[in-house]
Amino acid sequence: FYSVDPHFHASNDMEAAIGVDRQLAKRITSNVTYLYTQGVHQYFTNNIGAISNANVNPTTGSYTGAVTEPAENNLQYQSEGIYREHQIIATMNARYRHFSVFSYYAYSNAKADTDGVTYVPSVASNPGLDYGRAGFDVHNRFFMMGNFQLPWQVSLAPMLYAASGTPFNITTGTDLTGNNQFNARPTYAASCTEANTVVTKYGCLDADPVGTNERIVPYDLGTGPINVGLNLRLSKVIGFGPKVQGGGPGGGGHGGGGFHGLTGNNGGPGRLDASVPRKYNLTFMVFGSNLLNTDNRGTPNGTIGLTSTNCSSGQPLVTSSTGAAECPQQFFLKSQSLAGGFFGPSTSGNRSLFLETRFNF
């Protein structure tokens, strides 16, 4: 059953920032900002029925012994989580008569002990044990957009986006802490040849480490693949009707709202369509998403899930505590989806083309 902690508080987010704006040239401006964010009273759901299972040594960070799952889950909404994030954000904006270029880069380092209200701590009695990389801790993000006003009211707008991988948690797929959630993490094995150990690029991980005195791996140890996308927007405007003052009807570009938060103090990339000083504007637009057809993959599966069945020749075999040959489940550390988001590939495939017609008056 579910309940609410009697000491439950509303979450509190605090920010502090300092920035420098600089005029690099007559038409080029830049900005560098340092941003610190801290959140307290962040939400998670704890199984307080498993609090008595003190099977983790807080000093050594290791599993001390087997536990018995509670007969009944007592899931309680709590607000004892925290997160801290450091960001460095740099922007540059160049505006000329017939073209403009806008670029944005952000470095982020964020740590937390919760991933939201539905997150259940791996150890009920010690939620702080899950303090590690936050789910939104993407270290590097880069965005650049150009806007070229060509003859005959034609506008060309290329967009380039790149981001380092999203963190993901690595778990054993078993319940080592008695919380009925199966989100226990493996440990760093004392030897890469010992039983139940899987060799990965993150180290030799022991998937059954109870009583071994091995240190539990950090939360969100894994990092997903890099995502890169090149988009291109080509539009042609036809104006008719009486002339008007101010350059004609307004009109944003494809997904214009997606640029909020990228602009800093230097403004955004500017309007995407050519300006025609007529009362009526008819715009024809072609938008290409992920033109290079980059294979942008989603976050990998982080569950080891040792099994004795469906082991292929490409999977590393490990020896269980009983001496039987086992292997990780077949999707361990593999992406099973494409990356999403505004700059990610569409659900129908990687490279996509969209045609649009807009009438403004």
Side-chain angles (χ1 to χ4, degrees):
F1 61 91
Y2 287 84
S3 62
V4 178
D5 185 354
H7 303 292
F8 192 90
H9 292 274
S11 62
N12 188 355
D13 300 277
M14 299 165 284
E15 287 187 344
I18 184 171
V20 177
D21 292 282
R22 178 72 176 176
Q23 186 89 24
L24 300 179
K26 183 179 180 180
R27 297 181 179 272
I28 302 176
T29 59
S30 65
N31 167 270
V32 177
T33 299
Y34 167 74
L35 178 65
Y36 173 74
T37 309
Q38 178 172 309
V40 297
H41 299 305
Q42 302 300 301
Y43 308 143
F44 57 78
T45 303
N46 201 4
N47 190 352
I48 61 176
I51 286 182
S52 60
N53 290 329
N55 65 318
V56 173
N57 187 325
T59 302
T60 62
S62 60
Y63 298 105
T64 58
V67 295
T68 302
E69 288 80 6
E72 185 178 41
N73 289 328
N74 185 352
L75 299 172
Q76 185 179 83
Y77 296 116
Q78 299 181 354
S79 58
E80 302 304 316
I82 60 172
Y83 78 87
R84 299 181 181 91
E85 182 179 21
H86 301 270
Q87 288 182 286
I88 297 177
I89 302 171
T91 64
M92 186 175 69
N93 199 354
R95 291 179 180 269
Y96 293 87
R97 182 178 179 182
H98 295 294
F99 74 92
S100 63
V101 177
F102 173 78
S103 63
Y104 167 96
Y105 169 78
Y107 169 79
S108 175
N109 187 305
K111 291 187 176 182
D113 59 7
T114 175
D115 264 340
V117 66
T118 60
Y119 177 76
V120 180
S122 61
V123 179
S125 60
N126 186 9
L129 186 69
D130 293 348
Y131 186 76
R133 291 183 65 188
F136 53 86
D137 183 32
V138 177
H139 284 328
N140 300 282
R141 298 180 191 269
F142 175 77
F143 171 79
M144 177 177 285
M145 178 174 180
N147 185 13
F148 300 88
Q149 300 297 324
L150 306 179
W152 303 294
Q153 287 73 51
V154 174
S155 177
L156 180 67
M159 291 171 279
L160 175 65
Y161 173 79
S164 53
T166 302
F168 65 95
N169 201 24
I170 295 180
T171 63
T172 63
T174 56
D175 184 8
L176 303 178
T177 62
N179 66 353
N180 276 336
Q181 298 299 312
F182 305 97
N183 60 352
R185 300 191 298 279
T187 60
Y188 290 115
S191 169
C192 293
T193 58
E194 71 178 40
N196 306 303
T197 297
V198 180
V199 180
T200 73
K201 63 181 179 180
Y202 303 108
C204 298
L205 307 181
D206 189 344
D208 189 15
V210 174
T212 60
N213 203 36
E214 298 167 345
R215 180 169 290 276
I216 301 171
V217 304
Y219 184 79
D220 273 356
L221 175 65
T223 301
I226 295 173
N227 286 172
V228 178
L230 175 63
N231 301 344
L232 184 66
R233 184 182 189 277
L234 180 67
S235 65
K236 160 69 176 177
V237 179
I238 300 175
F240 56 95
K243 289 187 176 181
V244 296
Q245 299 295 324
H254 184 277
F259 300 114
H260 295 298
L262 295 179
T263 58
N265 295 326
N266 290 305
R271 62 179 297 145
L272 301 182
D273 294 326
S275 176
V276 179
R278 296 288 181 174
K279 183 176 181 180
Y280 305 105
N281 278 191
L282 181 62
T283 303
F284 299 94
M285 187 269 290
V286 178
F287 181 80
S289 173
N290 195 17
L291 291 181
L292 300 180
N293 211 30
T294 307
D295 186 18
N296 288 314
R297 301 187 179 187
T299 304
N301 187 319
T303 303
I304 296 176
L306 288 183
T307 177
S308 58
T309 60
N310 299 321
C311 293
S312 66
S313 59
Q315 291 177 276
L317 294 177
V318 301
T319 302
S320 71
S321 54
T322 62
E326 294 182 328
C327 64
Q329 56 90 7
Q330 59 179 326
F331 297 114
F332 178 54
L333 298 184
K334 296 180 180 179
S335 297
Q336 297 173 258
S337 64
L338 295 176
F342 178 77
F343 297 100
S346 69
T347 56
S348 59
N350 269 359
R351 182 190 292 121
S352 302
L353 292 176
F354 301 90
L355 304 178
E356 181 180 322
T357 302
R358 182 186 301 117
F359 179 66
N360 292 333
F361 57 93

